[in-house]
Amino acid sequence: MVRAVQLNRCISRRTTTIIPLRDCDSCGIRTASICSVLTHADLRRFETLGQKVVLRPRAQLFSEDRPADAVFTVTTGVTRLYRLLPNGSRQVVGFGLPGDFLGLPLRERYGFSADAAEFMTACRFSRQSFLDFMEGRPVLMRRVYEATVRSLELAHDQMMLLGRCDARTKIAAFLIGMNARRAHTGSVSATVPLPMGRQDIGDFLGLSIATVSRTLGRLAGEGLIMVIPKGVRVLDRPRLERVAGGHAAGPIPPQAVRSGSR
């Protein structure tokens, strides 16, 4: 109990609770997570090393430039990833979805901060315990490598999107990318949940909040989407993909360079 309270304080005062992991073999997003490659026996061992973290909206998961003493897998909800700029403002660099692995285990310090965009849960493992467990398990090492490469690919796509595309293309690509990433976890739907605010989306895409709202309205007026509370419903995916122009970057880059104009 004392240890749970101490972990709770280390992560964030707004964290609701931290409890031991249980029933990992029945986890709904296991097939999309790094632990998908583990045998039943290894999964049981892995389970004993972790904790389940439950976060309220805006609660901090970890902070930029702080010692990277833990790694995380998002299990439910959305995590907002951001960096602090020299002038004190915040730049959103991505959104973590269920199944995403956060906190590269070979980095000494976190390269960005992460907080909850909505009520969310994550599996937490101490960095050293994770490294010790990964050693001698090449299938897990390969899975972490694949997750890292995917993050770098998305970061590259995102920088291309920021530097070359207009607002309509950026919003369309963002929606297609979010929808595709959720489909990867088995959540196939025409509805794209957007628990983050318009300001967060604008910061991520290099657009103003007014431009985000106006562009969503324009796409709705064209019959491509329907704006609903906390999300959108895709009405004409082929046309939306054409608007995206092939730039369907999924928003979870490990780093991001701010470019493009508002």
Side-chain angles (χ1 to χ4, degrees):
M1 179 65 178
V2 173
R3 187 184 179 196
V5 172
Q6 289 173 339
L7 285 171
N8 183 56
R9 289 175 178 171
C10 287
I11 295 178
S12 170
R13 291 183 178 179
R14 289 188 173 184
T15 300
T16 57
T17 187
I18 297 179
I19 59 177
L21 282 181
R22 294 188 179 90
D23 301 322
C24 285
D25 53 355
S26 62
C27 175
I29 54 90
R30 185 190 167 198
T31 56
S33 305
I34 59 167
C35 58
S36 63
V37 297
L38 297 178
T39 64
H40 182 75
D42 277 347
L43 186 64
R44 287 299 185 194
R45 170 59 180 158
F46 195 51
E47 187 178 77
T48 65
L49 302 177
Q51 297 88 29
K52 178 180 179 180
V53 184
V54 184
L55 297 173
R56 295 178 181 273
R58 305 188 68 82
Q60 198 80 17
L61 189 62
F62 56 81
S63 299
E64 179 183 359
D65 288 334
R66 296 292 299 274
D69 57 356
V71 295
F72 303 85
T73 295
V74 181
T75 50
T76 64
V78 175
T79 311
R80 178 173 35 235
L81 311 178
Y82 62 93
R83 302 191 71 183
L84 296 177
L85 302 180
N87 63 5
S89 62
R90 186 187 69 176
Q91 171 63 52
V92 175
V93 299
F95 302 100
L97 301 184
D100 288 337
F101 181 67
L102 304 177
L104 299 181
L106 298 181
R107 294 199 59 161
E108 295 292 333
R109 294 183 177 274
Y110 293 115
F112 51 84
S113 297
D115 67 9
E118 59 179 337
F119 276 100
M120 61 157 290
T121 61
C123 298
R124 177 194 186 276
F125 301 89
S126 77
R127 177 173 173 266
Q128 192 57 55
S129 293
F130 185 87
L131 289 173
D132 291 344
F133 183 83
M134 186 169 62
E135 188 174 353
R137 291 179 173 85
V139 291
L140 180 59
M141 194 175 300
R142 179 179 176 83
R143 189 71 178 85
V144 172
Y145 170 77
E146 290 171 350
T148 303
V149 170
R150 177 57 177 158
S151 293
L152 293 174
E153 289 174 347
L154 292 171
H156 176 267
D157 289 346
Q158 185 61 20
M159 285 187 286
M160 294 287 288
L161 190 65
L162 285 170
R164 298 185 179 183
C165 303
D166 60 16
R168 187 165 170 265
T169 300
K170 289 180 179 180
I171 294 293
F174 174 75
L175 296 176
I176 291 294
M178 289 289 283
N179 189 248
R181 287 178 60 205
R182 287 189 176 276
H184 179 64
T185 66
S187 179
V188 180
S189 173
T191 298
V192 184
L194 298 175
M196 69 292 290
R198 297 284 194 269
Q199 185 66 64
D200 292 331
I201 296 173
D203 285 347
F204 177 65
L205 294 175
L207 302 170
S208 69
I209 185 172
T211 300
V212 172
S213 297
R214 184 168 59 249
T215 305
L216 287 172
R218 178 183 176 186
L219 293 173
E222 295 172 358
L224 276 65
I225 64 171
M226 175 187 297
V227 179
I228 60 176
K230 294 293 184 179
V232 303
R233 183 170 295 123
V234 178
L235 302 178
D236 192 333
R237 185 181 178 90
R239 285 178 60 204
L240 191 64
E241 289 177 338
R242 287 197 293 273
V243 172
H247 298 281
I252 182 174
Q255 307 284 342
V257 178
R258 186 178 180 84
S259 60
S261 62
R262 292 179 181 272

